[in-house]
Amino acid sequence: MQWFRIIFYYVFYDPRIAVTLKPKTLSLQFQNKKHMASVQDFIPQPYTATDESGSFQWSAPSNLALVKYWGKKANQIPANPSISLTLNNCKTVTKLSFEPKEDNGAFSFDLLFEGQPKESFRPKIEKFFERVHPYLPFLTQYHFTIDTHNTFPHSSGIASSASGMAALAVNLMSLERLLNQGMTQEYFDQKASFLARLGSGSACRSVTGNVVIWGNHAETPGSTDLYGVEYTTVADVFTTYQDTILLVDKGEKQVSSTLGHDLMHGHPFAGQRFAQAHTNLSAMKTALATGDTDAFIKITESEALTLHAMMMTSNPYFILMKPNTLQIINKIWEFRAETGIPVCFTLDAGANVHVLYPQANREAVTGFIKSDLATYCQNGQYIEDQVGYGAANL
């Protein structure tokens, strides 16, 4: 139980959780004019053009939250703000083909995953279309073929909902841009992120930018619960940061994201956690801006352990880390203490470990991973990635 005590010391005796939150009204840049934000801003005016049929193809990456989003309100609104690194190699590639149909009363689409029909994905896409239809009224006017695949193994245990929904959102926005040819790039990015959020909350951080903030944060001008905002004050060391994903458990997620977020309703430590996220986000912004890898490590690891502490103290409660997860964490701590290399870990809601380190230390850290950490991975497997930028039109 020593590891359990360590986690709770990290989370509940950290003085950073003492914070007073200040309310702040939301604002956004809409068509280059600043005004109060509203979902109404993303309901289009009548379209100025028509299009018969065609296709687009986009890739969108996964992203890695440093300050975690855990807990949400109605309509995919986060209970606390988050900040993430955009990945480069782990991405979803989606081709969207469309053609007009006569019946405008229902959604019509075929869905292929890795070239094969995937009926199990259909309910999620159907629900996504229902949510975004008020903002994309053309959805019932076309039949779509959605052909998608991931560049990382589907069985790797890495959540693909962020990259998948972001890729679909930018494809749909490409069609809307055809129908509304006066659309600005800024509006395209904001609405794509807004739509992606309605499919999977964290997907809004996979549209554009190396580092993205999502959620209203008093110390971040322009931040909003509606979509992700690029954070650009980032030291060079972090724009090329490396992420090696150690595949401790490649199985299905034990706890779905929806269930995990719901467990924060009535959680005994929810208030402290949400306040801590605001404080940690401010501190993380400073670390990223100044290139302070020591501060980056402390916040990133504390946030990872906080996420799992929330799950271990919810009702019902879960332990998603595996024994090998803990072995890896201890090995990373030992290596960092012995070498002084600023390598650290973070975790998603599962057993896999993300190992983060500067590009300048790549040779030493990858050697350490091969010699000391790969043995704790399922079948010795891990994925090498690094910071990327966002969705790309192919």
Side-chain angles (χ1 to χ4, degrees):
M1 294 299 291
Q2 183 62 29
W3 60 272
F4 190 81
R5 296 190 187 98
I6 290 172
I7 290 174
F8 272 79
Y9 178 82
Y10 237 122
V11 175
F12 298 112
Y13 289 90
D14 189 331
R16 289 175 298 195
I17 66 173
V19 61
T20 301
L21 302 182
K22 298 178 181 179
K24 183 177 184 291
T25 57
L26 298 177
S27 64
L28 62 81
Q29 297 289 334
F30 176 73
Q31 302 286 36
N32 300 319
K33 181 179 179 182
K34 190 172 184 179
H35 73 293
M36 297 300 293
S38 167
V39 296
Q40 298 298 317
D41 294 326
F42 296 114
I43 297 177
Q45 298 296 319
Y47 294 126
T48 58
T50 59
D51 205 74
E52 290 301 314
S53 61
S55 65
F56 300 98
Q57 183 166 276
W58 283 78
S59 68
S62 187
N63 67 76
L64 178 63
L66 303 173
V67 174
K68 306 294 186 181
Y69 146 62
W70 199 244
K72 64 182 176 181
K73 306 171 188 176
N75 300 317
Q76 298 286 87
I77 297 298
N80 66 266
S82 58
I83 187 169
S84 60
L85 297 177
T86 304
L87 299 182
N88 187 67
N89 301 332
C90 291
K91 61 182 66 175
T92 298
V93 178
T94 298
K95 181 178 181 180
L96 180 74
S97 303
F98 56 92
E99 58 183 1
K101 64 184 182 68
E102 293 183 3
D103 176 14
N104 292 338
F107 304 123
S108 176
F109 62 90
D110 296 318
L111 181 62
L112 304 175
F113 179 69
E114 297 182 344
Q116 299 298 320
K118 192 73 172 180
E119 289 301 310
S120 62
F121 287 1
R122 176 172 288 274
K124 187 163 188 175
I125 301 300
E126 188 87 27
K127 186 174 183 179
F128 174 63
F129 276 15
E130 290 172 359
R131 286 177 174 175
V132 303
H133 185 228
Y135 314 105
L136 299 174
F138 62 78
L139 284 179
T140 54
Q141 299 170 16
Y142 292 90
H143 173 79
F144 298 97
T145 300
I146 304 166
D147 191 350
T148 187
H149 68 274
N150 298 325
T151 62
F152 51 92
H154 181 59
S155 61
S156 65
I158 299 172
S160 59
S161 59
S163 57
M165 286 300 177
L168 182 54
V170 289
N171 271 292
L172 292 171
M173 282 304 298
S174 293
L175 176 52
E176 184 170 72
R177 182 156 55 185
L178 276 183
L179 304 175
N180 178 13
Q181 296 179 2
M183 183 184 298
T184 67
Q185 186 62 46
E186 180 183 34
Y187 181 74
F188 179 99
D189 292 339
Q190 289 178 354
K191 186 169 178 179
S193 178
F194 171 85
L195 297 173
R197 188 199 91 235
L198 294 175
S200 174
S202 60
C204 75
R205 300 190 307 244
S206 284
V207 172
T208 185
N210 298 121
V211 179
V212 180
I213 294 173
W214 171 40
N216 189 29
H217 181 241
E219 297 181 14
T220 303
S223 61
T224 171
D225 291 338
L226 298 181
Y227 54 84
V229 176
E230 183 180 4
Y231 179 62
T232 58
T233 311
V234 180
D236 289 345
V237 64
F238 292 117
T239 63
T240 58
Y241 234 57
Q242 307 293 296
D243 175 20
T244 300
I245 307 156
L246 307 183
L247 304 180
V248 174
D249 184 357
K250 299 193 296 180
E252 293 288 329
K253 292 169 65 175
Q254 183 180 340
V255 179
S256 71
S257 296
T258 299
L259 174 59
H261 289 299
D262 287 346
L263 291 174
M264 291 301 287
H265 295 296
H267 194 292
F269 304 118
Q272 296 98 317
R273 165 56 199 155
F274 299 149
Q276 181 194 45
H278 281 263
T279 305
N280 281 350
L281 179 49
S282 296
M284 180 59 78
K285 286 174 59 182
T286 300
L288 292 170
T290 60
D292 188 341
T293 55
D294 289 339
F296 175 90
I297 287 169
K298 290 177 182 177
I299 301 162
T300 298
E301 293 188 343
S302 176
E303 278 285 317
L305 296 176
T306 298
L307 173 65
H308 284 260
M310 292 299 100
M311 286 181 279
M312 287 189 285
T313 53
S314 63
N315 185 17
Y317 42 81
F318 299 92
I319 297 178
L320 301 186
M321 289 185 283
K322 302 293 185 183
N324 281 0
T325 306
L326 300 172
Q327 293 280 12
I328 289 169
I329 290 172
N330 280 306
K331 287 287 186 180
I332 290 171
W333 284 344
E334 291 170 5
F335 178 79
R336 189 168 71 220
E338 292 170 359
T339 65
I341 292 175
V343 58
C344 68
F345 73 88
T346 191
L347 308 167
D348 289 321
N352 296 335
V353 181
H354 291 258
V355 185
L356 301 175
Y357 50 95
Q359 186 180 49
N361 302 112
R362 177 177 169 78
E363 183 177 354
V365 176
T366 55
F368 161 63
I369 290 170
K370 291 176 182 177
S371 63
D372 291 62
L373 301 185
T375 187
Y376 298 109
C377 300
Q378 192 170 341
N379 300 322
Q381 290 184 298
Y382 55 88
I383 297 172
E384 295 183 335
D385 211 330
Q386 62 186 17
V387 171
Y389 188 75
N393 191 1
L394 304 178

